[in-house]
């Protein structure tokens, strides 16, 4: 048995309820693969602000740095919107990503089983689509300086900076190619090279890194076109590598192939500790109502197994249990005719039962 220290940060809104279900799955799967778990829970986001006055208390950050992996629910909500920018829940999440040096964010958007009918897109458009968005996560306009709002020539001006260094582009491009090589070997780099110098530079460096991956097929696409193509014909994509902000936007678009943002897990890697979180937000409108879809969070546990602990099989086991569960049961966001509608807790239980059946 190897011991793994995992930090659980449920966060805000639906975060705690989906996290609870994901932790059940984690506890079930770990012993099957000889992992002993040491779980610690710490606050992050608005919840942490309410308790300590900051969205990322030192205690949480220290615990994250001292763990083998972090499982994060979601942060944010209207309650904290009036707060000063520097202490908003989202600042906590961004600081955690940056302090842990998690520069690569993997967001796989695949159609699980007959979920094809839950998509707002036509079944023939999405059936079989399987896209991995590799989003740069610790640079770009999210972190660039200067930034702020100030008075200039008698009026207020807001500004942010889109900046990427060569080393930042190189390392994310490398991740993009490596992931593509384990998939269908097609990498689409998304930029806005026709307008922004920083992304023309991005294109140049990605092309250079591509020389180390002669068996990968690299293409480039402008971000506006990519948004259109994801909806028009998502099957043309295999792996996509892009900047922090384009990745944020395009991964939400890609999520809708699956019918719901509640289905998309993510892995943030690159540093010594990986962090796993659903792509969705804190959904404050349904928080505490047992309506949330816990599957993105549960699938994030699978990504932890794969990317932090090299247990591909454990990830596959979780994906299979999710696919099996979806054959009969649905949360409201992906409800379809002929299926039984259940809540967050029950969905977690059904996945757990399916795991148990397959391992008894
Ligand atoms: C995401 C979210 C975050 C982001 C927010 C909550 C800061 O939208 O993970 O996609 O913009 O990165
Ligand atoms: Mg987002």
């Amino acid at each position: 048995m190897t011991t793994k220290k995992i930090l659980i940060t449920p966060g805000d809104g639906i975060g705690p309820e989906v996290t609870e279900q994901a932790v059940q799955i984690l506890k079930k799967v770990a012993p099957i693969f000889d992992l002993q778990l040491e779980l610690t829970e710490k606050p992050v986001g608005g919840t942490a602000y309410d308790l300590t006055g900051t969205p990322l208390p030192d205690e949480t950050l220290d615990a994250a740095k001292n763990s083998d992996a972090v499982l994060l629910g979601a942060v944010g909500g209207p309650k904290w919107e009036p707060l000063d920018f520097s202490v908003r829940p989202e600042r906590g999440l961004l600081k955690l990503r940056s302090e842990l040096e998690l520069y690569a964010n993997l967001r796989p958007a695949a159609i699980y089983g007959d979920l094809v009918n839950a998509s707002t897109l036509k079944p023939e458009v999405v059936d079989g689509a399987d896209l991995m968005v590799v989003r740069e996560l610790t640079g770009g306009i999210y972190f660039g300086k200067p930034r702020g709002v100030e008075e200039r020539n008698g009026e207020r001006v807001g500004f942010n900076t889109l900046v990427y260094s060569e080393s930042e582009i190189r390392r994310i491009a490398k991740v993009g190619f490596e992931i593509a090589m384990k998939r269908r070997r097609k990498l689409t780099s998304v930029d806005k090279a026709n307008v922004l110098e920083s992304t023309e530079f991005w294109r140049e460096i990605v092309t250079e890194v591509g020389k180390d991956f002669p068996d990968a097929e690299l293409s480039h696409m402008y971000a506006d076109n990519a948004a259109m193509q994801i909806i028009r014909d998502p099957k043309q994509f295999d792996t996509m590598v892009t900047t922090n902000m384009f990745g944020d936007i395009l991964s939400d678009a890609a999520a809708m192939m699956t019918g719901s943002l509640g289905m998309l897990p993510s892995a943030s890697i690159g540093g010594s500790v990986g962090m796993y979180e659903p792509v969705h937000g804190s959904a404050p409108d349904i928080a505490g109502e047992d309506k949330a879809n816990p599957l993105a969070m549960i699938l994030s546990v699978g990504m932890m197994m794969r990317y932090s602990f090299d247990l591909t099989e454990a990830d596959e086991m979780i994906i299979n249990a999710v696919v099996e569960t979806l054959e009969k049961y649905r949360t409201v966001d992906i409800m379809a005719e002929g299926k039984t509608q259940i809540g967050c807790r029950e969905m977690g239980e059904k996945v757990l039962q399916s795991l148990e059946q397959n391992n008894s």
Side-chain angles (χ1 to χ4, degrees):
M1 281 264 188
T2 3
T3 303
K4 297 290 180 195
K5 283 200 232 174
I6 302 193
L7 175 67
I8 312 286
T9 50
D12 312 325
I14 59 168
E17 50 199 289
V18 294
T19 301
E20 198 186 321
Q21 297 316 311
V23 169
Q24 301 295 337
I25 302 298
L26 178 62
K27 286 182 178 163
K28 178 94 240 161
V29 170
I32 302 175
F33 294 90
D34 279 338
L35 298 184
Q36 190 164 4
L37 298 174
E38 210 179 291
L39 304 180
T40 315
E41 190 175 315
K42 297 282 180 205
V44 71
T47 317
Y49 174 82
D50 289 348
L51 288 168
T52 67
T54 151
L56 182 63
D58 286 343
E59 204 191 314
T60 304
L61 180 58
D62 290 344
K65 286 184 174 165
N66 288 315
S67 62
D68 293 302
V70 180
L71 188 65
L72 184 135
V75 299
K79 179 179 170 197
W80 300 286
E81 268 161 29
L83 289 180
D84 184 71
F85 196 79
S86 63
V87 289
R88 298 239 185 99
E90 292 79 4
R91 304 311 306 165
L93 173 59
L94 294 170
K95 188 170 172 204
L96 198 50
R97 289 173 178 170
S98 143
E99 287 278 334
L100 295 176
E101 296 172 41
L102 302 172
Y103 64 85
N105 183 219
L106 316 182
R107 299 187 157 186
I111 311 293
Y112 299 99
D114 63 351
L115 207 57
V116 54
N117 296 309
S119 178
T120 48
L121 299 178
K122 289 190 187 122
E124 63 268 30
V125 172
V126 290
D127 196 10
D130 178 6
L131 160 65
M132 172 72 93
V133 179
V134 179
R135 168 188 179 194
E136 199 291 324
L137 201 61
T138 51
I141 201 165
Y142 268 53
F143 292 91
K145 287 184 180 134
R147 61 188 298 159
V149 180
E150 64 182 33
E151 181 107 4
R152 287 182 198 165
N153 304 323
E155 67 167 342
R156 295 209 306 149
V157 177
F159 51 97
N160 289 89
T161 304
L162 173 55
V163 53
Y164 272 114
S165 67
E166 184 172 336
S167 56
E168 284 177 307
I169 303 170
R170 267 184 197 286
R171 64 183 185 181
I172 191 69
K174 189 162 173 274
V175 173
F177 279 109
E178 283 166 357
I179 298 272
M181 287 307 289
K182 289 187 191 156
R183 294 169 46 95
R184 302 188 304 278
R185 300 184 177 187
K186 266 179 69 178
L187 183 67
T188 309
S189 171
V190 175
D191 59 39
K192 192 70 188 168
N194 52 344
V195 178
L196 305 169
E197 290 88 338
S198 51
T199 71
E200 188 187 30
F201 182 53
W202 171 284
R203 187 177 283 218
E204 178 190 322
I205 302 301
V206 173
T207 307
E208 243 178 70
V209 174
K211 291 184 188 139
D212 296 335
F213 297 88
D215 295 333
E217 185 193 318
L218 171 67
S219 60
H220 303 274
M221 198 178 266
Y222 296 139
D224 48 351
N225 185 27
M228 179 180 83
Q229 297 297 340
I230 285 176
I231 293 161
R232 194 185 72 85
D233 175 23
K235 277 183 260 188
Q236 69 184 285
F237 296 111
D238 168 18
T239 307
M240 185 180 273
V241 64
T242 190
T243 64
N244 204 339
M245 189 155 80
F246 292 153
D248 178 45
I249 298 166
L250 295 174
S251 59
D252 270 28
M256 287 318 290
M257 302 180 336
T258 67
S260 170
L261 206 47
M263 287 303 302
L264 232 72
S266 91
S268 303
I269 57 172
S272 51
V273 180
M275 182 158 84
Y276 301 84
E277 50 171 319
V279 170
H280 64 68
S282 61
D285 52 322
I286 56 162
E289 291 181 20
D290 195 36
K291 281 187 189 157
N293 181 347
L295 295 178
M297 189 81 206
I298 288 172
L299 291 165
S300 299
V301 170
M303 292 194 85
M304 176 190 291
M305 293 295 138
R306 183 185 290 261
Y307 292 101
S308 275
F309 308 142
D310 212 14
L311 293 170
T312 313
E313 240 184 286
D315 186 22
E316 280 161 3
M317 190 181 280
I318 293 175
I319 294 174
N320 286 340
V322 166
V323 171
E324 232 175 72
T325 306
L326 285 169
E327 281 166 18
K328 285 196 194 134
Y329 303 100
R330 299 292 173 88
T331 41
V332 61
D333 55 319
I334 45 174
M335 185 52 193
E337 229 182 272
K339 312 287 174 186
T340 307
Q341 190 174 317
I342 57 178
C344 177
R345 184 176 294 274
E346 223 185 320
M347 185 56 106
E349 278 162 19
K350 295 293 178 198
V351 177
L352 200 66
Q353 279 167 17
S354 164
L355 275 173
E356 274 161 2
Q357 272 161 22
N358 297 340
N359 289 286
S360 55

